[in-house]
Amino acid sequence: MSSPVILTCAVTGSIHTPSMSPYLPITPDQIAEQAIEAAKAGAAILHLHARDPATGAPSADPALFQDIVERIRARCDAVLNLSTGGSSRMTLDDRLAAARLIEPEMCSLNMGSMNFGLFPLADRYDWQHEWERGFLEATRSVIFRNSFEDIETILTDLGARRGARFELECYDVGHLQTVAFYLKQGLLKPPVFLQFVLGVLGGIDAAPEQLMHMKASADRLLGSDYQFSVLAAGRQQMPLGTMGVILGGNVRVGLEDNLAIARGELATSNAAQVRKMRRIIEELGHRLATPDEVRARLGLKGTPSTASGSATP
Ligand code: KMH
Ligand code: ZN
């Protein structure tokens, strides 16, 4: 029997902007409501970012994260995974502030510096907010920085010190070598949870051959020390997520990675994508992992020992 499939939902992110979809959640209330609905639909892990409630711009404000986490914690037991990627305009300290305060079970950890091109979207929309076009255009020159030193800071500060385990975001095969290096060094402990990120401009492209290449490279470099999940940006989200399940992996969906539910049709919620992926997973003969199964499988510390654990019902 194969293991139950871990379905992650990345609820809002910092890639898409409010003018692109009226369904993109912005305020803590909207983010929490969509997150809870996604968890009820089957997502065991909620990958979280915050946005400025007034403008919808990506925000690193720990108070916003705290508000989101407390709202979700009060109503569901999904594993909460705080982004440390933030947006490429934030400093590393900005990006880590919320996770340092909340001490969640999981955090994202981006495994290398790279170009992260959102600029092709800049001419495709009529913008409601002044910041949107400039934010996208800036990705022509800004590097998404995740140096070895940054990675080590996150591993020691959030991992060794605060007990977080990681969603290791791997945007290309080279990032797998970095994972292997830190496993060998002992800063990462198995089993690691890899997120194969396909389709970001600057990373590996969203094609079946590339997913096979990522999987084969991980097998060669990491042996049995890893579990993987697949995130494909844009319209490859569902097809490559399905392929990930067929290959024995897990899947991430959500409006952070794709705003659509079908070609030319916006998803009206994160839960709509979770429900669609769930149908596919179950049609393939698998079942979804519960949050507690994820905790056991990935060696998470559990909610009560997080700094915001007191809000748990
Ligand atoms: N937006 C995804 C492509 C993070 O939050 O650390 C990658 C991501 C990064 O989720
Ligand atoms: Zn993210």
Side-chain angles (χ1 to χ4, degrees):
M1 273 292 282
S2 56
S3 306
V5 175
I6 301 171
L7 187 50
T8 297
C9 182
V11 181
T12 191
S14 60
I15 291 178
H16 296 122
T17 72
S19 300
M20 296 177 184
S21 170
Y23 307 110
L24 188 68
I26 305 294
T27 65
D29 180 51
Q30 290 167 352
I31 293 169
E33 284 302 320
Q34 286 216 28
I36 292 161
E37 195 193 354
K40 290 196 168 133
I45 302 178
L46 299 168
H47 171 110
L48 298 170
H49 291 243
R51 292 180 182 269
D52 178 334
T55 65
S59 172
D61 183 348
L64 290 172
F65 275 93
Q66 184 100 6
D67 191 355
I68 293 164
V69 164
E70 284 177 5
R71 285 168 190 266
I72 299 172
R73 277 273 154 266
R75 287 173 46 205
C76 81
D77 75 336
V79 172
L80 301 191
N81 169 1
L82 263 56
S83 170
T84 65
S87 87
S88 43
R89 282 180 160 179
M90 297 172 189
T91 65
L92 186 65
D93 278 335
D94 291 339
R95 287 160 49 180
L96 301 194
R100 281 175 169 147
L101 177 75
I102 294 167
E103 301 187 356
E105 291 179 90
M106 276 190 96
C107 295
S108 69
L109 172 49
N110 294 272
M111 292 313 295
S113 300
M114 58 186 290
N115 290 329
F116 201 122
L118 306 176
F119 58 88
L121 298 171
D123 291 325
R124 289 205 206 151
Y125 295 86
D126 291 327
W127 302 111
Q128 296 159 15
H129 299 278
E130 220 178 359
W131 65 271
E132 292 173 281
R133 176 188 284 277
F135 172 80
L136 300 169
E137 277 293 350
T139 65
R140 274 184 203 279
S141 55
V142 174
I143 290 167
F144 183 34
R145 185 192 143 147
N146 299 286
S147 66
F148 287 112
E149 190 177 54
D150 295 343
I151 291 169
E152 287 165 19
T153 297
I154 295 174
L155 286 172
T156 50
D157 199 1
L158 300 180
R161 198 165 300 143
R162 290 180 171 82
R165 304 248 321 143
F166 298 99
E167 176 194 15
L168 300 174
E169 314 261 8
C170 298
Y171 299 77
D172 217 325
V173 283
H175 294 175
L176 300 171
Q177 190 180 178
T178 303
V179 172
F181 173 77
Y182 284 116
L183 270 167
K184 199 163 164 206
Q185 292 279 307
L187 265 179
L188 273 174
K189 306 266 186 258
V192 293
F193 185 63
L194 307 183
Q195 193 65 256
F196 294 157
V197 183
L198 297 101
V200 168
L201 183 59
I204 203 164
D205 57 310
E209 295 83 348
Q210 301 291 42
L211 176 50
M212 292 302 295
H213 185 37
M214 291 289 275
K215 168 83 169 52
S217 302
D219 286 342
R220 184 170 52 77
L221 290 165
L222 308 174
S224 60
D225 281 349
Y226 82 99
Q227 301 186 36
F228 75 98
S229 174
V230 176
L231 168 187
R235 67 191 170 85
Q236 292 303 326
Q237 180 188 55
M238 296 287 165
L240 289 186
T242 303
M243 184 173 160
V245 175
I246 292 168
L247 290 173
N250 305 284
V251 196
R252 171 168 139 177
V253 296
L255 301 190
E256 170 162 349
D257 307 325
N258 177 26
L259 291 172
I261 189 73
R263 199 152 191 177
E265 186 187 339
L266 287 177
T268 56
S269 67
N270 279 274
Q273 290 184 349
V274 170
R275 282 192 286 269
K276 180 168 176 171
M277 196 66 233
R278 179 184 193 148
R279 282 197 299 276
I280 294 169
I281 289 166
E282 291 179 346
E283 285 292 338
L284 290 171
H286 302 285
R287 72 168 178 86
L288 294 181
T290 66
D292 280 344
E293 286 173 332
V294 173
R295 291 184 173 102
R297 230 161 97 185
L298 301 185
L300 306 184
K301 63 183 175 176
T303 304
S305 59
T306 62
S308 63
S310 56
T312 307

